[in-house]
Amino acid sequence: MASPEIETLTQALSRLPGLGPRSARRAVLHLLKKREGAMEPLLRALEAVNDRLVTCHVCGNVDTIDPCGICADPRRDARALCVVEDVSDLWALDKSRLFPGRFHVLGGRLSALEGIRPEDLTIDALVARLEPGGVDEVVLAMNATLEGQTTAHYLAERLERFPIRLTQLAHGVPVGGELDYLDEGTLAQALRARRPVG
Amino acid sequence: MASPEIETLTQALSRLPGLGPRSARRAVLHLLKKREGAMEPLLRALEAVNDRLVTCHVCGNVDTIDPCGICADPRRDARALCVVEDVSDLWALDKSRLFPGRFHVLGGRLSALEGIRPEDLTIDALVARLEPGGVDEVVLAMNATLEGQTTAHYLAERLERFPIRLTQLAHGVPVGGELDYLDEGTLAQALRARRPVG
């Protein structure tokens, strides 16, 4: 029988998306066999992320500083705001370096099925960011899924009263697809051809 | 762009068997979203394994003590030795609680393809364990793969000169199968019907 330490680690790993109990065991064995080559680098990397990373209180990005590097960067255009569902979407868009503005991470999408309501997302914080004025354009960069588009529609209604240009990513994002899985070329095209809502 | 800490963690996770770069990113995002529920338990579990677990110098098992709990247990029959390829095989067999003796972990299997030779496994240590006498039976519990059976044949030759009963797991282990994937019933049958080599 494996020791309790191993069982605990196997359980912790098996809760990660993409790993089941069996593959988690394989992963633990791999780590035990390659202590210097695999276990210690993983441990150090996890410690670094856990110790150093914080969530930006302005936009919801994850970075070593708060406000994050994007919010703190004076070269970023503060008049354009790109709203995304998750941090991974922010990374995917920012990697393409095509959007010169700042971001706002909702922390998910509206979902009747999962019981995720507007107050579970950072929508009030987004409205508060727009209140003082100074933002000319808000890009709604939700996933092209049913829930993503529902969220975009809801946001369009909530932001209607602001004197801003409200745009969304152009068709180019394949229907049913998720931003995080797209190549940069498709993302670039979708961003370039973004169009006004409604 | 994600911070370097996140990139490093993603890379470390993507080297685990069963995880690629994409699923490693998903796993990192999951950890960032659930810090208390997922990241901290994983970190603590990994620390515990890394700090507390050692490889038993006698049999090659992984445990918090050296010699390991099995080697140190006086109720275990020191006259019977079960030789396995990997620690996972030891766990699989020990979980069934059908083998009352001790174990010897080879640390792999002979493989021309992967360039694994007898001196890469703990075969000399196994021979050294048998030298002083006191062992009546050695069970060769290799996987029923080509390489596992090659290893068993090689071991049978190396151990020929000892006055021991050399047995192997009965057919019952499906051809091409690996011990770690079997249910306990099949393992039990294979162990009960073990037969002399040659």
Side-chain angles (χ1 to χ4, degrees), chain A residues 54-59 61-76 90 94 101-103, chain B residues 1 3:
Chain A
V54 288
T55 299
C56 174
H57 78 280
V58 179
C59 75
N61 187 15
V62 174
D63 203 344
T64 46
I65 47 174
D66 178 20
C68 73
I70 293 174
C71 286
D73 186 348
R75 290 162 302 178
R76 289 278 186 161
L90 188 160
D94 196 47
R102 298 189 176 163
F103 289 92
Chain B
M1 192 89 77
S3 73

Side-chain angles (χ1 to χ4, degrees), chain A residues 62 91 142:
Chain A
V62 174
W91 296 340
M142 269 79 254

Side-chain angles (χ1 to χ4, degrees), chain A residues 1 22 35 53 94 180, chain B residues 1 22 35 53 94 180:
Chain A
M1 192 89 76
R22 182 68 68 178
R35 289 205 153 201
L53 293 196
D94 196 47
D180 194 22
Chain B
M1 192 89 77
R22 181 69 68 179
R35 289 206 153 201
L53 293 196
D94 197 47
D180 193 22

